[in-house]
Amino acid sequence: MFKWTKNIGPGTLVAAAFIGPGTVTMCTKAGVQFGYSLLWAMLLSIIATIVLQEMAARTGIITQKGLAEVIKGQITSPLLRNLAIFLILGAIVIGNAAYEAGNISGAALGMQVFGEANAMLYPILIGVIAFIVLFIGNYKVLERSLVTLVLLMSISFIITAILTKPDIMAILKGTFVPTIPKDNFLIIIGLIGTTVVPYNLFLHASLVKEKWKTKEDLVIARKDTFISIILGGIVSMAIIVAATATTGGDITNAFDLAKGLEPLYGEYAKYLLGLGLFAAGITSAITAPLAAAYVAKSCFGWKGTLKDNRFRVVWAIILILGVVFSSMKFNPVEVITFAQVANGLLLPIVAIFLVWIVNKSNVLGKYKNTLFQNILAICIILITIVLGIKGIVSVF
């Protein structure tokens, strides 16, 4: 355990990235509308995240390159290469600008449980905190800041779930016996899209090469990935469990969930959830601009560290856009929900790129995918495609 805590890092940052306001919102909706019955979808999401993030981390350590850079290097046709870069940049950089508004709005929402008088200033304050952490440009500072926030968030949501005194047998049934209630395909896609985040695959590949430099470090990187994502999944499940305990009212996010729990469990539930939502929002508010900057760096082949001015310009633009749109009082819940469903629909495309790369001997050599890993990856891609098609059909 001591060795793991010493080597903790990229996996926890990935967990920090996927447990944002989007996860809180989707898990809350799932719990309120369907009780424990969609816990299986979260379990599926956790397995899919572990499989795909391990591939991304393995690619980053073995090649010592970003994922976009590796993909770009393997496409020989200039036209197809430019098209791939355009798709990646469009999906990750532009998409993250939209997610950032929801991240900052979510963190601000969490702060409102401590007082709504300064609600207008909260997005700016969160933006300043995120700016300072990113501008320092020190990987260890960034890592430790996010690990602390993730622990705070995890404790808050898990304690809240325990306080609801859940039905253990119903939880086990919902986790291991898949059921698909009528007209909930978009919720299932959203749960997958908020956990298996496409930009996390690029972020993870870039972060592992910042921390580890040799092939022997792959064992440590895998442990970091598995433990962090499993813990992150438990937190997501805890949000669904807590939301299941609420009855009535228009509950669409953690702030509404806190109000729903207050009559049953007292005022402290509100503060626990407020802290959890704040931590979830600010961790994602830091990792989303960071991921966008890493993708731009990888696509354009920039050299340099986190302190490179071009790198800073990219994350600063994403962060500023997030603060501006958050301050304009758009409805973050609707934006977040749409973003997570879009994430779920985009996932198969990014996953296909990744699986193609990890099967190339000239890229990974003896570390390329095994048959079992390919079977798992193909199953995940097929499931996300089927759910995506069903979700689109259900909309129309």
Side-chain angles (χ1 to χ4, degrees), residues 92-294:
I92 307 300
V93 177
I94 298 171
N96 279 15
Y99 305 148
E100 188 67 357
N103 292 333
I104 293 173
S105 296
L109 205 59
M111 292 180 74
Q112 285 182 31
V113 299
F114 301 100
E116 298 186 38
N118 299 314
M120 290 290 290
L121 296 176
Y122 289 150
I124 297 171
L125 176 61
I126 290 156
V128 169
I129 294 169
F131 184 91
I132 290 169
V133 173
L134 287 165
F135 190 81
I136 289 170
N138 184 301
Y139 177 77
K140 286 188 176 179
V141 171
L142 177 70
E143 183 180 272
R144 287 168 185 169
S145 301
L146 290 176
V147 167
T148 301
L149 287 165
V150 167
L151 288 172
L152 174 66
M153 168 183 66
S154 302
I155 292 166
S156 297
F157 286 130
I158 290 170
I159 289 176
T160 304
I162 292 170
L163 289 174
T164 64
K165 299 176 182 176
D167 183 337
I168 302 300
M169 292 306 297
I171 288 175
L172 291 173
K173 183 181 177 182
T175 303
F176 298 107
V177 182
T179 56
I180 302 180
K182 188 179 177 182
D183 299 327
N184 75 336
F185 283 113
L186 289 180
I187 289 284
I188 294 172
I189 296 168
L191 286 173
I192 294 172
T194 194
T195 310
V196 198
V197 183
Y199 82 70
N200 265 351
L201 299 173
F202 295 90
L203 178 64
H204 204 176
S206 295
L207 289 176
V208 291
K209 68 185 182 67
E210 296 276 349
K211 189 173 184 74
W212 295 302
K213 302 296 181 185
T214 67
K215 295 173 182 178
E216 288 71 29
D217 291 324
L218 189 56
V219 174
I220 300 170
R222 280 174 171 155
K223 285 181 182 177
D224 172 56
T225 300
F226 297 162
I227 294 171
S228 298
I229 292 171
I230 289 170
L231 291 175
I234 290 170
V235 173
S236 297
M237 287 181 159
I239 299 169
I240 295 176
V241 170
T244 299
T246 63
T247 54
D250 183 21
I251 299 172
T252 55
N253 57 50
F255 194 63
D256 294 332
L257 177 57
K259 291 177 180 176
L261 290 172
E262 196 170 335
L264 294 172
Y265 308 110
E267 196 171 323
Y268 53 83
K270 177 176 75 173
Y271 293 112
L272 277 170
L273 277 165
L275 280 171
L277 187 57
F278 166 74
I282 201 163
T283 51
S284 295
I286 291 168
T287 53
L290 185 67
Y294 269 123

Side-chain angles (χ1 to χ4, degrees), residues 93 289 292-294 296 302 309-319:
V93 177
Y294 269 123
W302 296 338
N309 287 334
R310 293 168 299 186
F311 192 87
R312 283 174 166 169
V313 165
V314 176
W315 64 249
I317 290 171
I318 302 294
L319 185 58

